[in-house]
Amino acid sequence: MIGKEVIETKPISGAEVKEILEDFSNDNELNYEQNLTLNHLARFKRYSIEDSKEIVEKLQDEFGLRDKVAVHIVDLAPKDLADLRLIFAKEPKKIEKEEMEKILEFLEQYDIEE
């Protein structure tokens, strides 16, 4: 990547990445890494893009989570406390069990697309 520099980084959900790659592939040929990423994203169930953005926003506002953690939660769609604990394992901010249960209840409001 000679001559290129990163201007901004922002975590985005897998649903958004999938849409970006699909749109890009309509006009361009995907390279090897892009093809692998698109194939990987197509294999797993995901929230819709609208739901993903809404969930990330609410996780940040209501639960005070960082962008990166909120996006991990959306991408992994945890179903129980054990899964959610793994996401928070390396977080400096300690999350209480009650708050994790509230997050799981919140996620149950949204449907995962097949």
Side-chain angles (χ1 to χ4, degrees):
M1 293 188 23
I2 297 174
K4 295 182 181 182
E5 67 179 82
V6 176
I7 298 171
E8 177 185 6
T9 62
K10 177 185 172 193
I12 60 173
S13 68
E16 292 175 84
V17 173
K18 184 179 176 191
E19 180 180 81
I20 290 168
L21 286 174
E22 287 174 342
D23 290 346
F24 183 77
S25 70
N26 291 335
D27 300 327
N28 304 290
E29 187 174 331
L30 297 178
N31 66 27
Y32 177 74
E33 290 84 4
Q34 291 166 334
N35 261 325
L36 281 177
T37 302
L38 188 57
N39 289 337
H40 175 77
L41 292 171
R43 290 182 179 163
F44 297 98
K45 300 175 184 177
R46 306 232 172 262
Y47 294 107
S48 68
I49 292 175
E50 297 80 22
D51 285 350
S52 295
K53 289 179 181 179
E54 184 178 327
I55 293 168
V56 167
E57 187 177 303
K58 287 185 179 181
L59 286 172
Q60 291 170 332
D61 294 342
E62 294 178 21
F63 297 99
L65 301 178
R66 297 182 308 138
D67 291 351
K68 184 178 176 181
V69 176
V71 169
H72 279 305
I73 290 173
V74 168
D75 284 343
L76 299 175
K79 295 293 181 198
D80 56 27
L81 283 175
D83 292 342
L84 200 53
R85 277 192 186 104
L86 291 173
I87 295 170
F88 288 118
K90 291 190 176 182
E91 276 302 292
K93 178 184 169 188
K94 188 72 175 164
I95 306 295
E96 299 298 323
K97 181 180 177 183
E98 293 78 25
E99 191 168 0
M100 284 193 256
E101 289 171 347
K102 288 179 186 175
I103 291 171
L104 289 173
E105 288 174 18
F106 167 72
L107 292 175
E108 288 175 2
Q109 300 172 18
Y110 295 91
D111 294 326
I112 295 179
E113 295 182 343
E114 302 250 349

